[in-house]
Amino acid sequence: MITAIIIDDMQEARQLLRADVEDNCPQVKLVGEAEGVVSGAKAIKQLKPDLVFLDIQMEDGTGFDLLEILPEINFKLIFTTASDAWAIKAFRYSAVDYLLKPIDPQELQEAVAKIEEKPQVQQESFDILLDTVKEQVNPKRLALHTLDKIHVVQISDILRCESTGSYTEFFFTTQKKLLVTRTLKEFDKLLADHQFIRVHQSHLVNTLHIREFVKVDGGYIVMNDGSKIPVSTRKKPEVIRMLNAL
């Protein structure tokens, strides 16, 4: 059984989420509620929940403020938020889970199921989240979930990414590899602002680590580690334009 609390300044929102959790997540036992940053921090300290459903915008501050005042984060977390493009981007970089309001019961079930499978989020992931929200600049680090760990990596060290079904394999300049439990499509969107380009349905590459583009044999890219990455016919003009602009 997962013990959980809801932190949201809107009573109606708390009631709706409580009803949704009780109806759709039998593995979750709600043990308390709070209406803001200060009361939420107290509830976490007293109740020591396994999981916190945390609103972003509250009357006495934000959910991010609450995380900053806690001495440690020893619980799993699902943010609940209205549409906030920058916050959502921050969640994706940091691999912290979130639900958009109004909350869809099926998405709630899926989020809780993922929480059960995932390891405890590391403090570094929250640091990425808080830095991204505060500074509103693209972060230099990325949190990557594998089956047993959360790895925080430097984006500049990523050489390329390769799709393997519903997973993505990351290749690094250090020759390290990670098999990550998210699709290549998600990382294509996330890393577009970091000079990554999707050169093939199955391949995303860091343009800073391209050695050359070979036009023969259908066309392929040679990366700095010597790996050869195919370029699809549709992507060739874009790749050539990109390389000319470097």
Side-chain angles (χ1 to χ4, degrees):
M1 183 66 68
I2 302 169
T3 59
I5 64 173
I6 298 170
I7 303 174
D8 195 306
D9 63 338
M10 300 294 291
Q11 183 178 0
E12 182 181 1
R14 296 197 303 272
Q15 290 173 340
L16 287 172
L17 182 52
R18 174 175 283 275
D20 284 338
V21 170
E22 290 174 346
D23 290 344
N24 298 281
C25 304
Q27 72 274 50
V28 176
K29 179 182 179 182
L30 290 168
V31 295
E33 296 180 4
E35 60 186 17
V37 172
V38 175
S39 61
K42 289 180 179 177
I44 290 171
K45 184 177 180 180
Q46 292 170 357
L47 299 170
K48 296 180 173 57
D50 302 317
L51 170 63
V52 175
F53 292 97
L54 181 59
D55 188 25
I56 292 184
Q57 299 296 338
M58 295 179 283
E59 286 192 5
D60 62 344
T62 70
F64 306 121
D65 296 329
L66 188 153
L67 294 179
E68 287 196 285
I69 65 175
L70 292 173
E72 60 178 344
I73 300 169
N74 52 8
F75 51 84
K76 296 186 178 182
L77 178 66
I78 298 177
F79 273 97
T80 59
T81 178
S83 182
D84 182 330
W86 197 267
I88 290 170
K89 187 173 187 177
F91 295 143
R92 290 172 177 163
Y93 274 103
S94 60
V96 174
D97 289 286
Y98 68 96
L99 289 167
L100 282 176
K101 297 178 179 178
I103 293 170
D104 179 89
Q106 183 175 346
E107 291 179 357
L108 171 63
Q109 287 178 315
E110 292 171 355
V112 170
K114 283 197 299 180
I115 282 289
E116 288 183 284
E117 297 170 1
K118 285 182 178 180
Q120 181 72 47
V121 175
Q122 297 171 353
Q123 182 63 47
E124 286 177 299
S125 292
F126 289 114
D127 292 342
I128 294 172
L129 174 67
L130 296 173
D131 289 348
T132 307
V133 170
K134 278 183 183 178
E135 303 299 331
Q136 296 215 355
V137 295
N138 288 322
K140 296 179 180 179
R141 296 183 296 167
L142 179 65
L144 298 175
H145 277 270
T146 60
L147 290 174
D148 60 344
K149 290 183 180 179
I150 299 173
H151 304 259
V152 177
V153 303
Q154 293 290 327
I155 293 174
S156 60
D157 290 340
I158 301 170
L159 189 74
R160 62 185 182 91
C161 311
E162 184 173 345
S163 174
T164 57
S166 58
Y167 293 82
T168 301
E169 188 164 17
F170 276 70
F171 296 80
F172 295 86
T173 55
T174 58
Q175 298 186 329
K176 181 173 78 172
K177 299 179 185 179
L178 289 176
L179 187 63
V180 178
T181 55
R182 290 168 69 182
T183 65
L184 186 65
K185 182 179 179 180
E186 293 178 76
F187 291 112
D188 183 11
K189 293 178 181 178
L190 197 60
L191 295 171
D193 294 332
H194 292 270
Q195 293 184 284
F196 282 70
I197 184 171
R198 185 88 169 260
V199 297
H200 186 278
Q201 182 178 355
S202 300
H203 297 280
L204 179 68
V205 303
N206 186 342
T207 59
L208 299 178
H209 297 301
I210 292 176
R211 182 187 299 172
E212 59 188 10
F213 173 52
V214 180
K215 296 180 180 179
V216 298
D217 298 328
Y220 59 90
I221 281 172
V222 180
M223 304 300 292
N224 282 337
D225 67 344
S227 56
K228 297 178 180 179
I229 310 302
V231 177
S232 69
T233 301
R234 184 173 62 86
K235 285 288 185 176
K236 276 184 185 178
E238 183 181 350
V239 170
I240 291 171
R241 284 195 301 272
M242 175 272 299
L243 291 174
N244 285 335
L246 289 179

